[in-house]
Amino acid sequence: ETLRLANPPSDMALRPALEAVLEGGKKGRVQAELSYLAGGLSWSAEHVCVRRGEAAATWSAGVTVRNETGRDFVDATLKLVAGEPRREHPLPPPMPQARMEMLVPAAKGAADVLSEQSFSEYHLYTLDRPATLRDRETQRLTMLEPLAIKVEPRYLARVGAGVRTQLVVKNDAASGLGVPLPAGRVRFYDADAAGDLQFTGETALGHTAEGE
């Protein structure tokens, strides 16, 4: 009823996770690929807008990938789908484990490139190199290098609600962007009199297509 190993390998599974039975018409060897849906992997986008004067700014974007599956993925092909595919029965959350979460920044001098392409009703971002995602580890990758963009400042006044400061950014090539932007958080910064960047606010961005 009980099995105990004195020195089990760290990547050894002690219980079956998947089992497949193949029935063919004849004996022989055949190459096959097994794919399945799993929980515990997630990613989110974060955009940064830095004001450069009254009507100019720089826009950059990065992604944060989290692995909470209970296992490591070494030299994996990383593809991120921007959108919200509907799941009829969401997977249960992973079992908590007493392990420290690590934040791993991108390596210096080696900028990651996430190439974007249309995919079905979504957008697909593919990392240009193999990725190693260790369990309970969080990695930050660059999605969009800083781009010089045009912004339009305006004030929104509502009765009883005061005045709010807004920045209008159009996602087109004429304004300096013109790329699909995945949903995520947008943080805004502005330089003070000494030239140091100061945080001035944040907002949530929905999936924004080119031209919006």
Side-chain angles (χ1 to χ4, degrees):
E1 296 179 357
T2 302
L3 175 64
R4 294 183 180 180
L5 302 178
N7 297 299
S10 60
D11 59 347
M12 181 178 181
L14 299 181
R15 61 182 181 182
L18 291 172
E19 182 177 304
V21 178
L22 304 179
E23 295 182 0
K26 59 182 180 179
K27 293 183 178 181
R29 293 179 176 271
V30 62
Q31 290 189 351
E33 179 179 303
L34 177 65
S35 63
Y36 58 95
L37 294 177
L41 284 171
S42 62
W43 73 279
S44 60
E46 183 165 302
H47 308 266
V48 175
C49 182
V50 180
R51 292 284 299 274
R52 303 293 184 189
E54 184 69 16
T58 58
W59 187 288
S60 60
V63 297
T64 300
V65 183
R66 298 178 179 86
N67 179 11
E68 298 177 350
T69 62
R71 61 159 296 176
D72 297 340
F73 296 91
V74 180
D75 293 336
T77 300
L78 183 61
K79 296 185 178 182
L80 309 175
V81 177
E84 298 178 1
R86 188 175 186 272
R87 298 294 300 273
E88 191 67 24
H89 300 288
L91 291 169
M95 293 295 293
Q97 298 184 16
R99 294 187 60 180
M100 181 180 296
E101 180 177 288
M102 298 180 62
L103 176 62
V104 181
K108 293 183 179 180
D112 297 302
V113 176
L114 286 164
S115 58
E116 180 271 335
Q117 65 185 82
S118 297
F119 165 70
S120 185
E121 301 298 326
Y122 310 99
H123 287 277
L124 183 68
Y125 297 88
T126 304
L127 187 64
D128 66 343
R129 60 167 178 83
T132 296
L133 305 175
R134 305 193 186 281
D135 182 36
R136 297 300 184 271
E137 190 175 83
T138 300
Q139 291 194 32
R140 287 180 179 172
L141 306 172
T142 300
M143 173 176 284
L144 189 65
E145 295 286 353
L147 297 173
I149 66 170
K150 299 176 182 178
V151 297
E152 179 186 347
R154 71 179 181 185
Y155 297 96
L156 178 64
R158 291 181 177 176
V159 177
V163 180
R164 297 180 59 186
T165 304
Q166 293 186 333
L167 285 178
V168 180
V169 180
K170 189 170 184 180
N171 185 17
D172 58 13
S175 299
L177 279 175
V179 294
L181 299 175
R185 178 174 55 188
V186 186
R187 285 181 168 171
F188 297 89
Y189 296 86
D190 206 339
D192 59 18
D196 299 325
L197 294 181
Q198 303 295 339
F199 174 72
T200 57
E202 66 181 18
T203 188
L205 176 73
H207 296 294
T208 306
E210 183 180 355
E212 292 187 358

